[in-house]
């Protein structure tokens, strides 16, 4: 969770303290120290650097340079099984009404032709933190409040901390293989890409990560990219952590998504089989769903429908677009898994909440035809 930039006092007033430097416009012409909880300043007439201390009342200060920032004071700490103390970061776009100068964000995903970024970090030892690159998206062109989807790229993880949710597989992006986690913090959904070892610099396509999240069914092309941010989430220690350089560019000129082809029913008899593998705990569950085309012709797009037992509610899904109305669930393929040859399979999964004893759904229909259970 990332908290908003707050007004320091009534309009036009700033705290008069030699320890606090807060700028809401213009550039940091020389090194600028920010200790105010949500203080920020602008660098390169293009990016905003923010202190963003939201998880502790202890003092945190950052020193802002012309290319990035360094954590210089960090007195707070948080248990490693909870949220971090802060997210000092540099960003392009809009974050809680604070927009970087001249930004073209929010922009609809379908209109993005390219989105690139480069980042350089400096790390320290003996601290518990992650170096996180955040990508925020929302169904609306939102410039304030919490967005519905947070993509986190963990370039470094130190200490006994982990992303929100649970692992759901791997992805190869930016020339590397990442462990993918998926979950919700109660305010927004989160998909995290965790590097197996520390990465101190990265020059990559932000759009590749957005497209991967879209292909997992978490967003659509009609959603909006609102901001891209790079910084640190410290839990314990972290003085000396620094973003030494940051750049980002999002270009329009993309094309709207094409209308997907109509689905075709499974040929011959049932034509399909479904394997439903749940994992439940006190108040939640995940489910992996595998669809097998047992017919003699290829599926050209699929829609799986079924009813969840009472007390179950889907919260987020991957590799399918999943919606729920009452107990009725509808799961539709995403771009990369719509074509299923005879004997082939397509899989998706989701996370949900449960009230009472857990049980699995008992019957499934694919494109209107009843499927066998495996």
């Amino acid at each position: 969770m990332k908290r908003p930039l707050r007004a320091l006092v009534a309009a036009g007033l700033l705290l008069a303290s030699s320890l606090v430097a807060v700028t809401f416009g213009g550039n940091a012409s020389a090194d600028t120290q920010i200790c105010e909880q949500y203080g920020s300043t602008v660098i390169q007439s293009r990016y905003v650097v923010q202190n963003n201390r939201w998880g502790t009342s202890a003092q945190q200060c950052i020193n802002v340079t012309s290319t990035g920032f360094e954590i210089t004071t960090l007195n707070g700490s948080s248990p490693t099984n909870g949220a971090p103390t802060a997210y000092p970061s540099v960003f392009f776009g809009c974050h809680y009404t604070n927009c970087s100068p001249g930004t073209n964000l929010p922009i609809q995903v379908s209109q993005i032709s390219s989105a690139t970024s480069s980042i350089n970090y400096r790390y320290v030892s003996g601290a518990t933190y992650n170096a996180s690159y955040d990508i925020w998206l929302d169904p609306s062109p939102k410039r304030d409040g919490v967005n519905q989807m947070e993509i986190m790229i963990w370039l470094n993880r130190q200490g006994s901390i982990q992303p929100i949710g649970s692992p759901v597989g791997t992805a190869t992006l930016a020339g590397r293989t990442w462990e993918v986690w998926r979950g919700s913090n109660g305010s927004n959904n989160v998909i995290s890409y965790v590097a197996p070892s520390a990465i101190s610099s990265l020059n990559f396509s932000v759009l590749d990560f957005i497209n991967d999240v879209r292909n997992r069914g978490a967003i659509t092309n009609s959603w909006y990219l609102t901001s891209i941010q790079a910084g640190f989430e410290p839990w314990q220690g972290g003085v000396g952590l620094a973003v030494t350089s940051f750049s980002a560019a999002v270009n329009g000129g993309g094309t709207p998504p094409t209308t997907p082809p109509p689905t075709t029913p499974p040929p011959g008899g049932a034509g399909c089989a479904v394997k439903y593998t749940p994992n439940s705990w006190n108040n939640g569950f995940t489910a992996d769903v595998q669809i097998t085309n047992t017919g003699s012709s290829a599926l050209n797009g699929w829609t799986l429908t079924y009813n969840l037992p009472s007390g179950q509610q889907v919260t987020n899904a991957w590799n399918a677009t999943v919606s729920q109305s009452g107990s009725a669930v509808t799961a539709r393929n995403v771009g990369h898994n719509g074509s299923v040859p005879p004997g082939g399979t397509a899989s998706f999964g989701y996370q949900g909440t449960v009230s009472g004893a857990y049980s699995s759904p008992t019957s499934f229909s694919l494109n209107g035809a009843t499927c066998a259970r495996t």
Side-chain angles (χ1 to χ4, degrees):
M1 180 185 297
K2 308 302 186 298
R3 297 290 174 147
L5 174 73
R6 308 292 178 127
L8 194 55
V9 286
L13 299 181
L14 297 177
L15 288 180
S17 170
S18 60
L19 293 178
V20 179
V22 185
T23 304
F24 292 97
N27 282 295
S29 57
D31 286 10
T32 301
Q33 184 172 237
I34 300 177
C35 297
E36 196 274 330
Q37 183 175 9
Y38 299 112
S40 73
T41 191
V42 173
I43 62 173
Q44 301 176 36
S45 300
R46 181 172 175 82
Y47 309 116
V48 175
V49 178
Q50 58 180 356
N51 198 25
N52 201 13
R53 172 179 56 81
W54 57 270
T56 178
S57 59
Q59 187 181 61
Q60 172 182 287
C61 298
I62 59 174
N63 185 65
V64 182
T65 69
S66 61
T67 60
F69 69 91
E70 176 184 354
I71 300 175
T72 55
T73 303
L74 205 163
N75 294 327
S77 65
S78 296
T80 55
N81 62 350
T85 62
Y87 184 57
S89 52
V90 53
F91 71 85
F92 175 77
C94 295
H95 181 77
Y96 285 89
T97 72
N98 189 18
C99 295
S100 57
T103 183
N104 59 342
L105 305 186
I107 184 174
Q108 201 163 33
V109 170
S110 65
Q111 298 302 312
I112 300 174
S113 60
S114 66
T116 56
S117 185
S118 65
I119 180 73
N120 285 275
Y121 287 101
R122 186 174 70 238
Y123 299 133
V124 299
S125 59
T128 301
Y129 65 91
N130 71 47
S132 176
Y133 192 104
D134 271 23
I135 305 166
W136 286 93
L137 301 110
D138 196 80
S140 64
K142 196 169 186 178
R143 291 176 172 84
D144 62 343
V146 178
N147 288 181
Q148 289 190 25
M149 172 53 62
E150 178 184 13
I151 304 171
M152 299 187 72
I153 307 172
W154 286 40
L155 287 89
N156 190 3
R157 170 171 53 171
Q158 296 296 315
S160 57
I161 55 174
Q162 67 181 42
I164 290 167
S166 57
V168 295
T170 61
T172 301
L173 299 163
R176 294 169 170 82
T177 298
W178 310 79
E179 184 180 53
V180 183
W181 290 60
R182 188 159 183 166
S184 173
N185 61 21
S187 297
N188 56 268
N189 295 322
V190 185
I191 294 181
S192 302
Y193 298 82
V194 183
S197 59
I199 300 171
S200 59
S201 64
L202 191 66
N203 190 340
F204 69 105
S205 169
V206 173
L207 188 56
D208 285 351
F209 286 86
I210 294 173
N211 287 339
D212 186 73
V213 168
R214 181 200 60 203
N215 291 339
R216 294 173 185 273
I219 65 167
T220 69
N221 277 340
S222 65
W223 283 48
Y224 290 81
L225 171 64
T226 63
S227 70
I228 47 183
Q229 313 176 355
F232 300 95
E233 290 186 325
W235 273 260
Q236 298 167 6
V239 170
L241 291 170
V243 171
T244 58
S245 69
F246 171 83
S247 67
V250 179
N251 298 309
T255 56
T258 57
T259 302
T263 59
T264 56
C272 55
V274 171
K275 181 179 180 181
Y276 191 90
T277 306
N279 178 31
S280 63
W281 57 94
N282 291 339
N283 299 310
F285 72 98
T286 60
D288 293 315
V289 185
Q290 183 183 80
I291 302 167
T292 301
N293 180 3
T294 59
S296 57
S297 302
L299 287 172
N300 181 25
W302 50 264
T303 299
L304 186 72
T305 57
Y306 53 96
N307 290 316
L308 284 179
S310 176
Q312 295 184 22
Q313 180 67 45
V314 175
T315 57
N316 59 83
W318 47 94
N319 290 330
T321 301
V322 179
S323 59
Q324 182 175 355
S325 176
S327 63
V329 173
T330 301
R332 294 182 174 86
N333 68 276
V334 291
H336 69 276
N337 63 0
S339 297
V340 186
T345 62
S347 299
F348 69 95
Y350 57 88
Q351 185 174 13
T353 59
V354 60
S355 175
Y358 174 83
S359 60
S360 296
T362 57
S363 62
F364 300 85
S365 294
L366 186 70
N367 295 351
T370 301
C371 296
R373 285 292 306 274
T374 61

